[in-house]
Amino acid sequence: MTTFALRLVFTLIALPCCIALITVARSKLSARSSTLKMTFSFGDDRNIDNNDNGTSRRSLRLSERAAERLETSQVSNILETSKQLLTIGVLADIQHAPVPDGASWKGQPRYYQYALEQARTAAQHFQDEQVSLLINLGDIIDGKCASVINGNKAIDSVLEALSVYTHGPILHTYGNHELYVLGREEIFHKLEIPFVTESPSCELVGYYSFVESNIRFVVLDSYDIALMGRCPQTSVKRKEAEYWLSTNNPNYPSEENSPQGLRGLKQRFVAFNGAVGSAQLEWLRTTLRMAKSNKEKVIVLSHQPILPGSSSPLCLIWNYNDVLQILRQYSCTVMASFAGHAHRGGYARDRKSGIHFRVFESVLETPRPHTTYGFVDIHEDFIRVRGIGECNSAIYDFSHMSQSIMSI
């Protein structure tokens, strides 16, 4: 047999084996439990996607195969050489309720009771991994709890599920769904959010900060100014919310949650959103100034997203720009902003400051047997999100906090 014939026979034998191996590899990569969905954000200008609203999505979406190669080579080198400061666990939009499964107004399936099991699974995983703290980005229960007997007890069920995590503190934000069921005083007692009583209106607002390993977590109350949970007769903050909505949404008040007829960023002017008041804005400025003086790094936490382009405009804080202006003044201190509210998640990097704005995917819309939550490793020069289930994995660099650019 000639050399050419031998080569031909070998090729015919080997080719099916190669195809089979490739098929197996692809199936493993595409399996839900092990899908690698990695976003890399660089300090240079690669892959900038300019949005109509003036922000930029500075990210590199990689194919699964390319991401795997980068994960196993260059990124692993970075992980080995960079000092890790701490690891935290993150959950968003659990929205448990003792009701049958349902769907959003857009038809997205929701698993109200299974969400409770996911919360317990996540908390146990965080405990097993001994993360430094657990972050709940709000909407721990669903508004449907208000229409069922003892529905207000659902929050106790979720807190019991989370209580298996004991290694560190749990930092809570609260969202619109808590306010559909509970008053702010009840939220204060249940979630141990240190609400302050603002003068002269004597109304409760839940913003605070917490420091761990020289990282300051700044928790904003994006329902400071809102209709929900504010007295229609006496609340100054409710009157301000009514002004926001009546000025910007022609559907108000009869269809206060409807964005019909609104375009672009105007869609945010619906009643399930809110705004940050002037006193809280001043507190934010003072807190960031202190963090800068103390050489602390900051992560901002809120239920509602802050940066346009990081998620649906329907979910943004009404006066997001007021918050952004302050954060931009401290871009050398603020690493990132984490939020929930927009259930499919999202990400954008602010063009002006370089700050990362990450919206975490919801627990509520994840079906059995999967779970959705994230581990966040905070290093000296980048953040790494290790997503479970629908939570996207990512690496976000701190090039905006110094003149040096991380190259990977």
Side-chain angles (χ1 to χ4, degrees), residues 45-62:
D45 290 331
R46 282 176 284 180
N47 295 284
I48 293 180
D49 176 19
N50 293 324
N51 298 305
D52 293 337
N53 49 45
T55 62
S56 65
R57 186 177 297 275
R58 305 181 65 176
S59 63
L60 179 62
R61 288 287 180 186
L62 302 173

Side-chain angles (χ1 to χ4, degrees), residues 116-117 119-121 123-124 156-165:
L116 181 63
E117 294 182 38
R120 182 175 287 104
T121 298
Q124 185 63 61
D156 296 325
S157 298
V158 182
L159 292 175
E160 186 276 329
L162 296 179
S163 69
V164 299
Y165 171 74

Side-chain angles (χ1 to χ4, degrees), residues 85-389:
L85 304 178
L86 77 162
T87 295
I88 62 177
V90 180
L91 286 162
D93 297 271
I94 298 169
Q95 286 185 228
H96 165 61
V99 298
D101 293 344
S104 69
W105 62 279
K106 287 186 175 181
Q108 178 67 35
R110 293 182 167 182
Y111 308 95
Y112 297 104
Q113 297 192 52
Y114 179 55
L116 181 63
E117 294 182 38
Q118 289 189 69
R120 182 175 287 104
T121 298
Q124 185 63 61
H125 198 175
F126 296 149
Q127 177 66 17
D128 293 343
E129 295 294 327
Q130 300 284 279
V131 301
S132 298
L133 56 92
L134 191 165
I135 291 173
N136 159 40
L137 289 170
D139 280 1
I140 197 171
I141 54 175
D142 192 86
K144 291 182 181 295
C145 293
S147 61
V148 298
I149 297 174
N150 295 323
N152 60 340
K153 303 295 184 183
I155 194 169
D156 296 325
S157 298
V158 182
L159 292 175
E160 186 276 329
L162 296 179
S163 69
V164 299
Y165 171 74
T166 59
H167 185 68
I170 300 178
L171 303 187
H172 293 281
T173 67
Y174 75 95
N176 51 307
H177 281 270
E178 283 91 351
L179 290 172
Y180 295 146
V181 183
L182 305 169
R184 284 176 174 79
E185 288 191 6
E186 291 178 279
I187 294 172
F188 162 73
H189 291 295
K190 295 289 187 181
L191 301 184
E192 298 182 347
I193 295 175
F195 279 81
V196 297
T197 303
E198 289 187 354
S199 59
S201 63
C202 296
E203 297 186 77
L204 292 174
V205 189
Y207 51 87
Y208 63 100
S209 70
F210 178 86
V211 179
E212 175 70 32
S213 302
N214 212 43
I215 307 295
R216 184 174 293 272
F217 296 88
V218 176
V219 182
L220 298 182
D221 183 347
S222 60
Y223 293 94
D224 177 346
I225 297 167
L227 296 184
M228 296 162 289
R230 299 293 189 198
C231 178
Q233 289 75 40
T234 62
S235 172
V236 174
K237 291 181 180 292
R238 182 185 172 96
K239 297 298 182 187
E240 190 171 349
E242 290 173 348
Y243 175 79
W244 277 99
L245 291 172
S246 62
T247 303
N248 294 284
N249 189 340
N251 303 303
Y252 178 80
S254 60
E255 298 290 338
E256 61 186 24
N257 283 322
S258 172
Q260 185 175 356
L262 302 179
R263 296 289 180 267
L265 296 179
K266 292 279 283 185
Q267 294 177 71
R268 72 188 188 276
F269 293 113
V270 288
F272 55 74
N273 292 332
V276 176
S278 57
Q280 185 179 176
L281 289 170
E282 186 54 40
W283 170 85
L284 174 61
R285 184 179 287 107
T286 301
T287 301
L288 294 181
R289 185 184 305 123
M290 176 181 63
K292 180 180 180 181
S293 177
N294 294 342
K295 295 181 169 51
E296 299 166 342
K297 294 179 179 178
V298 169
I299 294 179
V300 177
L301 308 175
S302 60
H303 181 61
Q304 290 179 247
I306 297 170
L307 182 69
S310 62
S311 67
S312 166
L314 187 63
C315 296
L316 287 169
I317 294 175
W318 290 340
N319 63 333
Y320 70 83
N321 200 48
D322 292 336
V323 181
L324 265 180
Q325 293 304 318
I326 296 173
L327 299 185
R328 285 167 174 165
Q329 293 171 20
Y330 293 92
S331 59
C332 60
T333 300
V334 180
M335 298 182 288
S337 163
F338 293 167
H341 198 38
H343 290 187
R344 304 316 297 164
Y347 167 78
R349 192 172 193 178
D350 182 35
R351 176 191 291 271
K352 294 184 179 180
S353 66
I355 298 171
H356 302 279
F357 289 81
R358 170 63 186 265
V359 181
F360 280 81
E361 293 76 9
S362 74
V363 171
L364 175 65
E365 295 177 358
T366 304
R368 293 178 185 274
H370 309 288
T371 53
T372 291
Y373 52 93
F375 289 87
V376 178
D377 303 320
I378 303 174
H379 291 251
E380 284 187 325
D381 47 9
F382 65 90
I383 289 173
R384 183 191 190 193
V385 178
R386 291 181 283 127
I388 305 296

